[in-house]
Amino acid sequence: MTDAIQTISPETLKTEYLSAENCEFFASAHGFLGSKIKGKEYKRVILTRALPLTEPDKYICITDVEKTELGIIEDTSVFSPEQKKLIDDELSRRYFCPVITEIKSIKEKFGNFYFDVMIGDFKKNFTVKNLNKNIRYHGEGFDLIDVDGNRYRIPDFKAISPKSRRNLEPYLY
Amino acid sequence: MKKGFPPPFPPERENKNKLPPWVIRALEEKGLSAEGLVFACFCDMDNVALYKDSWLFFDNKGLYIASGTQETVKPKRGHVPPEPKVTIEKIQSIPVGDIDSLTAERYTSTGRLVMSENGEDVPLTYFSLGKIGDLDEFARAFNSYKETGETGITPRMDDGPGKCKKCGAPCPPDKDFCREHDKNKGTAVRLLKFFGTHSIQIAIILALMVMNAAAQVFVPQLSTRSLYDNVLSGGSPLEQSIKALGVLVLSVVGLRVLKTVITIIQDYMSASIMPRIMYDIKVRIFEAMQRLSVGFYSSKQTGSLMDRVTRDANNIYWFFTDGVPRLIIDGAMIIGILIVMFTMSWKLSLIALITTPILFLTLVLGDRLFRRMHHRVWVMRSRARSLVSDNINGQRVIKAFAKENDEYGHFEKESDAVRDAEVRLGVAEATLFPILDIFVLLLTTVVLAFGGVMVAKSEGNMTTGTLLSFIVYVNMLKEPFGFLSWISNWWSRCSDSAQRVFEIADAMPDITEKEDAVGLENIRGEVEINELEFEYEPARPVINKLSLHAPAGTMLGIVGKTGAGKTTIANLIARLYDAKEGSVKIDGIDVRDLKLADLRRNIGLVSQDIYLFIGSIADNIRYAKPDATMDEVIAAAKAACAHDFIMKLPDGYETRVGAGGQSLSGGEKQRVSIARTIIQNPKILILDEATAAMDTETERNIQASLGLLTQGRTTIAIAHRLSTLRDSDYLAVIDEGKIVEYGTYQELIKLKGEFYRLYKIQAEALKTIGIGDTEGVFAPDETEEEKHDD
């Protein structure tokens, strides 16, 4: 940290980095995540990813239900497997995205892209406006964001069927 | 309804707050009566985030979640859609007494309805993000009903309107017919309506085009067939041949001249009509855009709207100027050529036609391949263009951070991608076009071979001249067929643009004036806000049950952190947006019942986002009152402390500002905008961070001017800097859309709450930078006790 930054406001710059030593998680009777941070117990905490697309397990911000930041976990891998599972479960609930298993067809009409896809066994139709701006690439795959703000994930583009790839490929630039 | 598109019976088509009758029947079959139902909503996921149809509703006894399946049946074209088939698989009921409150929580792509039970959060169900508005409304309705016995939600989407007059199928509330029966549904039909006022000229142009095509078709008859058969065949005496040649040459020249004359008349008429039609379209878009509310502009990017007025209108223009004439001429030519060919030899024509579809198909396939490649080139070029634009706009930052080389690197990378895409396209075109030419050559060769045999056998009056002219006709077919193979893409682009244009023309403004709106000639200026609720996005409330009162002629100061909702209050008073619940009243009348022109004339808004139009400074000051005299303009500029800086500019009040004009500093622009509001002389003045971009001295001067300006009118002043609000009669401290403190300056200081905290922070900050309390932040009549407390 440079001297210039330090002189601005130590209070606002103070970041509480949390690790397995000072932070412990537990699940409530109804499945919500609680935490004990530096000895203080919070019945419910909210986890938010700082880098949701590229580093989903690093820089996880913990807030209470009033959205007050309690600290940041630099890397979730430092937690025990049981603790990590609690963190992962909470993150997967919060960042849940239906996974597209097959793209049956894409129709382009008036700048809208009408997707007819399979999400597991469920047939789903959704519309994406301005495809270039509503696609978020990550690793080998990407998320599509429809007109309502819903996200649909293709975790690995190479892993879906060749027909599905052919349907989407012309629009992926 | 096309396959794969959303079903025709989405539940939101019906009254959103009630259950559809087929769901009620399915529930009754399961032994649950929906008789006492208070509020309902549809949900599309279950409690483990799997897609599932479910209905949430409550009565005075319990909250119910019924999940199952809803099968919609595709209706026959133009028929009333049949009722969906609903099967209820599971009903979860929770006694109302067990639920403290409901909350719709927003996650990244989904949401979750959570109930609070004895202070514990209990998850109920997930829903996709598109449903968050409905689920949030459901939660609020439940919470309000539990507390007051009323849902507090105005019912939406009644069954009454929104049914097709012909078949009864659901349709948008502002339409009388469903898509199937709407005569105006087709983009082409709607576009052609613009041509209706010029129908006679259009008919003449069409006739000329057909004549033009006929002239083209007739040329080979003279220049090839007659030349070979009557002149070059060698059967006639030389003198007769020369005479025939003379007639032929004159005929060909005459035909060419005739064609040129037709083309000139046709182009002349088109040139005089098309700009008029384009004018109609552009005026229509611009007029529609003026009618629309601020919300529409916030949801669309400025660039995309600019495109609609310029690029989309031009796309339509070029299609109708270039595409349609070619389509008609080429269509007429194909028909004419085929007629002539069949007249000459039906056998040879059939041979030619058998091979033509292969040519046509190849052209279509080739076009499809190129379309993808062109799309790729287009995307790459757009990206490179955006980078250049970004770079030019950010030059100061780039230089300040010495990032020129990095930026060059980025550009090189994007340019490489453009080059590669262009090379790939170029190579493909260079390869495929000669192959297409071979197809045409093969076609010609087949015709030549068969025709040659027919000439040799003298079959069906087939002469050398007839065969050669036949070959010319076959070659002439290539261009119109080629054009026809890609005209559909051109039309797609045009109808795409037309659709975007009509989207604006058809958009309903969020803010509309009631038919029986009340006029307000002389208002007192009393502003009353009752239980106001507002959100830009569902489930993200910006204003939450806020009530305020500013008696006529008083000054109300609003303080709060960034994002507390201060500017939103200003926007709601000026009715730039409509409240979700609650009301804003002026002189006791709801702003939604007032005539918009009267309302806006009586409200002066000096916003933190200052916009000056292209024109002189005087024009900008006169914006609200175009007939203001120069004396009034100067007086307003002096009151806004703008006169001095304006007089220092070489062109004084005639200095051009706005895009491309003289650049003014933030504070200077703010002063011009204050002068613009002063000249409007409104009864209610809203100052939204009006002096935020000014230095302390200028702010003081403006404060003094505004002090005079605010006399006799209601002023609502929004500010971060508390010094701006010294003269307020009342102050309201806002946080997260709620009022946390309300009172006079002295009362709030004594209260030692949020206002006091803000005031201390600012005073400390001023002391730190060596100003102390010269700003007058500290109350002049602060008591000794308070000073001691500090």
Side-chain angles (χ1 to χ4, degrees), chain B residues 190-314:
Chain B
R190 293 189 67 179
L191 268 178
L192 286 173
K193 281 190 174 173
F194 282 101
F195 294 78
T197 44
H198 308 279
S199 49
I200 297 170
Q201 291 98 314
I202 299 285
I204 296 171
I205 292 173
L206 286 177
L208 290 168
M209 284 175 181
V210 175
M211 283 165 70
N212 198 334
Q216 284 190 59
V217 172
F218 204 61
V219 170
Q221 285 292 320
L222 295 172
S223 61
T224 311
R225 193 180 178 182
S226 295
L227 183 70
Y228 276 94
D229 291 351
N230 302 338
V231 182
L232 304 175
S233 58
S236 315
L238 183 64
E239 201 178 307
Q240 206 176 328
S241 293
I242 288 173
K243 201 176 166 189
L245 183 66
V247 172
L248 198 69
V249 169
L250 282 176
S251 306
V252 170
V253 171
L255 211 56
R256 290 279 180 202
V257 171
L258 179 70
K259 189 182 168 305
T260 309
V261 171
I262 292 171
T263 309
I264 289 171
I265 300 171
Q266 176 198 315
D267 288 352
Y268 177 83
M269 290 186 74
S270 296
S272 64
I273 292 172
M274 285 314 295
R276 288 196 176 97
I277 291 165
M278 279 310 111
Y279 165 85
D280 290 346
I281 293 176
K282 284 185 183 178
V283 165
R284 176 101 178 261
I285 307 171
F286 201 77
E287 185 208 345
M289 278 166 65
Q290 301 310 306
R291 207 181 56 225
L292 292 168
S293 322
V294 177
F296 180 84
Y297 290 91
S298 318
S299 65
K300 308 264 178 211
Q301 289 172 339
T302 324
S304 125
L305 287 172
M306 291 280 288
D307 270 358
R308 294 184 199 202
V309 186
T310 52
R311 205 179 69 179
D312 286 332
N314 281 339

Side-chain angles (χ1 to χ4, degrees), chain A:
Chain A
M1 195 181 283
T2 66
D3 289 345
I5 292 174
Q6 276 178 341
T7 56
I8 295 172
S9 165
E11 275 303 307
T12 51
L13 290 176
K14 194 177 162 195
T15 305
E16 196 71 65
Y17 282 101
L18 301 172
S19 63
E21 280 124 47
N22 52 14
C23 172
E24 192 187 332
F25 293 100
F26 57 87
S28 76
H30 300 291
F32 285 114
L33 189 73
S35 181
K36 199 171 178 182
I37 297 168
K38 292 188 168 177
K40 192 176 174 190
E41 191 172 300
Y42 297 88
K43 269 162 73 178
R44 196 176 165 197
V45 291
I46 292 159
L47 305 184
T48 318
R49 286 174 171 143
L51 305 165
L53 300 176
T54 52
E55 296 283 6
D57 296 326
K58 287 181 179 165
Y59 293 96
I60 309 294
C61 181
I62 310 178
T63 53
D64 63 13
V65 280
E66 301 297 325
K67 313 261 169 72
T68 308
E69 187 176 298
L70 306 172
I72 291 177
I73 301 171
E74 266 187 284
D75 191 344
T76 58
S77 64
V78 299
F79 286 84
S80 68
E82 296 78 28
Q83 286 282 297
K84 182 151 170 40
K85 189 177 180 310
L86 287 172
I87 297 170
D88 290 347
D89 286 351
E90 172 66 13
L91 285 171
S92 57
R93 270 195 291 272
R94 189 154 283 273
Y95 288 86
F96 170 76
C97 263
V99 173
I100 294 173
T101 44
E102 190 188 344
I103 300 169
K104 292 172 85 75
S105 76
I106 302 169
K107 284 174 189 153
E108 187 191 355
K109 204 175 174 193
F110 305 130
N112 292 327
F113 294 82
Y114 296 91
F115 281 77
D116 180 3
V117 303
M118 293 302 289
I119 290 168
D121 295 333
F122 189 83
K123 194 171 177 298
K124 180 83 183 157
N125 300 307
F126 60 89
T127 309
V128 178
K129 223 178 170 100
N130 202 342
L131 193 60
N132 286 326
K133 286 185 183 161
N134 286 303
I135 193 160
R136 302 278 183 279
Y137 293 93
H138 50 75
E140 300 296 312
F142 45 82
D143 289 356
L144 293 163
I145 305 168
D146 77 1
V147 285
D148 290 322
N150 299 312
R151 283 175 186 241
Y152 303 91
R153 179 159 295 172
I154 297 178
D156 185 354
F157 188 54
K158 286 180 196 144
I160 59 169
S161 69
K163 193 196 160 201
S164 301
R165 277 206 303 275
R166 266 201 311 278
N167 281 331
L168 188 56
E169 235 157 17
Y171 309 110
L172 287 184
Y173 300 116

Side-chain angles (χ1 to χ4, degrees), chain B residues 382-403:
Chain B
S382 309
R383 271 164 52 168
R385 227 178 4 247
S386 303
L387 189 82
V388 173
S389 148
D390 211 24
N391 190 289
I392 291 169
N393 291 330
Q395 267 300 313
R396 281 164 64 96
V397 184
I398 294 168
K399 297 262 186 292
F401 285 87
K403 286 282 176 187

Side-chain angles (χ1 to χ4, degrees), chain B residues 77 164-166 175-193 502:
Chain B
R77 197 179 165 83
C164 175
K165 283 184 177 172
K166 201 153 184 176
K175 297 260 161 76
D176 290 333
F177 297 98
C178 67
R179 276 185 69 81
E180 293 297 334
H181 291 113
D182 190 353
K183 283 177 190 158
N184 297 326
K185 64 178 176 178
T187 312
V189 175
R190 293 189 67 179
L191 268 178
L192 286 173
K193 281 190 174 173
F502 291 138

